[in-house]
């Protein structure tokens, strides 16, 4: 291996400065992710206490939304990489151009995805043929509303990534704070029929989600225009196919990765449905607890990606490696603490989503497994952020796709179908997937095989300075 995470490439002061920068960027990102995740968790928690079957219905709809938003992931990833690298290269003209292209692409993709709402019933029937009729109907109702309002999500995801590329994670956090407060209020009111709202159940959760995301997107656009590092021109710039191609050259592999992963998760959900609706509900609760658990790792991922992109743009590879190492050490610390808490007190997390005794007992197993794998998750997030910051997005895509389709799905299917292991069998496949992805990404980074791609991105970021 050319590099090592066990070796310090920075002196004491440099390492301390990197850690400080990581925390400055990561902590608001963690706060934002906590709040963003609560948009979904609030839906699940309220619906779980309204009718546990609604968890499954909304879960099916969200799996489809994750697949359809793959193009948003492409744009947001490519935008963040080129914003950070262009800032490192001190190319203000490029930064301004990329920011404007992000706005244009947010609008186009959001409106395009919204037209798919008319096919909501078809999506549910195709991807969840074995689901119970009631769960299907709930999924259709929720999906139709959320897809119609997806332009808000489009702007929210892409503009937030534009700001993160500039190291500004506070603005997305403030927008998420306001949106989340609104979502919780509307969730409670519209699901249960409080505060003068009609009782709408899952439809109410969908309306609340769309409204809060739209508000967040408006706030983020205002904050983007006033960001001092990006310095957007008041007059819109012309569409730049060159900038768009550069964004997609980096972002498309991540989009394919997310599409493949989300589609795989959907197939995996059908494996869980083979074990029964209660097992699937317990699985969805486990997934939501997992989402809570990796928030710190996601924040470190954002910080590592932004800082490594900046240092790559400036040509300082020593700090690129040093940032990855410091991010890994910080991630391990968070992972160890969170994993211990989750493993020892799983029921406290499960009761956020349901009070059904049978489901609580079933969900304890996946939640404990999540606790055990926190260090693996943290390492994977740091390695992914490092490679993406350098523009090396194809390898994480390859690692994720092979892990999903050659490990998680076949192993989970065999253990559920032929060994009748239910949740244990399915989650054994998941944990094997996580370990594989983590190991392959770490080896890729340590090998230095990313250097050629990083150089190309650096040169593109500095072009026409």
């Amino acid at each position: 291996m050319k590099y090592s995470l066990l070796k310090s490439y920075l002196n004491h002061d440099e390492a301390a400065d990197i850690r400080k920068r990581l925390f400055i960027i990561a902590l608001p990102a963690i706060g934002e992710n906590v709040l963003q995740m609560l948009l979904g968790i609030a839906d699940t928690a309220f619906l779980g206490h309204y009718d546990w079957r609604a968890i499954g219905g909304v879960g099916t709809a969200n799996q489809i939304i994750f697949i359809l938003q793959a193009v948003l992931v492409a744009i947001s990833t490519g935008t963040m990489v080129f914003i950070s690298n262009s800032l490192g290269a001190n190319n203000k003209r490029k930064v301004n151009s990329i920011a404007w292209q992000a706005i244009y692409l947010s609008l186009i993709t959001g409106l395009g995805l919204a037209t798919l709402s008319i096919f909501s019933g078809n999506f549910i029937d195709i991807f969840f043929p074995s689901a119970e009729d009631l769960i299907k109907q709930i999924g259709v109702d929720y999906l139709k509303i959320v897809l119609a309002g997806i332009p808000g999500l489009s702007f929210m995801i892409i503009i937030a990534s534009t700001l993160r590329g500039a190291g500004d994670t506070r603005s997305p956090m403030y927008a998420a704070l306001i949106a989340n407060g609104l979502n919780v209020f509307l969730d409670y009111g519209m699901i249960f029929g409080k505060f003068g709202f009609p009782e709408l159940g899952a439809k109410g959760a969908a309306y609340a989600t769309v409204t809060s995301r739209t508000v967040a997107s408006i706030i983020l656009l205002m904050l983007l225009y006033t960001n001092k590092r990006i310095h957007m021109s008041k007059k819109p710039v012309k569409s730049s196919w060159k900038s768009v191609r550069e964004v997609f050259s980096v972002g498309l592999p991540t989009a394919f990765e997310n599409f493949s992963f989300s589609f795989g998760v959907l197939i995996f959900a059908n494996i869980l449905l083979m074990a029964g609706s209660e097992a699937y509900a317990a699985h969805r609760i486990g997934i939501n607890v997992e989402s809570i658990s990796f928030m710190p790792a996601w924040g470190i991922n954002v910080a590592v990606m932004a800082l490594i992109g900046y240092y790559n743009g400036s040509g300082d590879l020593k700090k690129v490696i040093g940032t990855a190492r410091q991010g890994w050490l910080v991630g391990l610390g968070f992972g160890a603490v969170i994993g211990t808490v989750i493993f020892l007190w799983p029921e406290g997390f499960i009761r956020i989503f349901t009070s059904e005794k049978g489901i609580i007992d079933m969900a304890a197993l996946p939640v404990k497994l999540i606790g055990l794998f926190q260090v693996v998750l943290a390492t994977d997030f740091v390695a992914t952020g490092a490679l993406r910051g350098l523009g090396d997005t194809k390898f994480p895509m390859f690692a994720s796709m092979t892990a999903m389709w050659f490990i998680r799905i076949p192993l989970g299917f065999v253990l559920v179908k032929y060994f009748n292991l239910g949740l244990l069998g399915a989650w054994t496949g998941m944990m094997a997937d996580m370990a594989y992805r983590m190991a392959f990404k770490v080896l890729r980074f340590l090998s230095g095989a990313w250097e050629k791609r990083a150089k190309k991105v650096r040169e593109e970021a500095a072009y026409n300075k």
Side-chain angles (χ1 to χ4, degrees), residues 102-340:
I103 291 177
Y104 303 151
L105 290 169
S106 297
L107 179 62
I108 293 169
T109 54
L111 293 176
L113 289 172
T115 64
L116 298 177
S117 64
I118 60 177
F119 302 108
S120 297
N122 304 88
F123 288 137
I124 296 293
D125 285 336
I126 291 170
F127 295 119
F128 291 94
S130 60
E132 296 177 5
D133 289 342
L134 179 58
I135 289 178
K136 280 186 178 182
Q137 188 56 55
I138 292 171
V140 172
D141 292 340
Y142 186 89
L143 183 61
K144 188 176 294 185
I145 295 167
V146 172
L147 277 181
I150 209 168
L153 178 64
S154 175
F155 275 98
M156 190 177 76
I157 290 176
I158 296 171
I159 303 307
S161 286
T162 305
L163 291 164
R164 291 188 203 108
D168 179 9
T169 50
R170 290 187 179 183
S171 292
M173 181 186 71
Y174 295 146
L177 179 62
I178 295 171
N180 188 70
L182 178 62
N183 183 71
V184 171
F185 170 76
L186 293 176
D187 255 348
Y188 183 67
M190 292 184 174
I191 291 172
F192 297 101
K194 305 293 183 180
F195 311 125
F197 291 107
E199 183 180 334
L200 298 174
K203 288 183 180 180
Y207 285 124
T209 297
V210 168
T211 303
S212 60
R213 285 172 173 171
T214 301
V215 169
S217 68
I218 294 170
I219 294 170
L220 286 167
L221 278 169
M222 294 171 60
L223 293 171
L224 176 64
Y225 280 118
T226 58
N227 186 275
K228 294 181 179 179
R229 294 200 72 193
I230 294 177
H231 278 299
M232 284 187 68
S233 58
K234 293 182 180 180
K235 183 179 179 181
V237 302
K238 292 182 179 180
S239 297
S240 170
W241 287 110
K242 182 179 184 300
S243 294
V244 170
R245 284 196 303 271
E246 289 171 348
V247 165
F248 276 104
S249 71
V250 170
L252 275 178
T254 301
F256 284 127
E257 175 187 348
N258 274 46
F259 177 84
S260 174
F261 182 81
S262 297
F263 189 73
V265 167
L266 190 149
I267 300 298
F268 191 71
N270 279 277
I271 293 174
L272 263 300
L273 285 169
M274 291 166 50
S277 296
E278 288 191 355
Y280 180 67
H283 166 71
R284 290 304 311 169
I285 289 172
I287 293 297
N288 278 286
V289 174
E290 181 193 22
S291 299
I292 296 172
S293 74
F294 64 54
M295 289 176 188
W298 185 87
I300 298 299
N301 167 281
V302 169
V304 166
M305 187 173 168
L307 275 183
I308 282 183
Y310 181 85
Y311 290 130
N312 182 60
S314 64
D316 193 341
L317 292 187
K318 184 182 78 168
K319 286 192 176 179
V320 165
I321 308 302
T323 298
R325 169 180 159 79
Q326 295 303 317
W328 179 59
L329 293 175
V330 172
L332 287 182
F334 276 120
V337 173
I338 293 169
T340 300

Side-chain angles (χ1 to χ4, degrees), residues 82-98 229-230 242 246 310 313 457-465:
F82 273 99
I83 288 286
S84 61
N85 276 268
S86 298
L87 283 170
N90 197 29
N91 190 347
K92 296 179 181 179
R93 181 177 177 180
K94 184 85 167 186
V95 172
N96 183 57
S97 175
I98 293 293
R229 294 200 72 193
I230 294 177
K242 182 179 184 300
E246 289 171 348
Y310 181 85
V457 170
R458 184 163 61 248
E459 291 172 347
E460 291 173 342
Y463 180 76
N464 201 21
K465 187 173 178 179

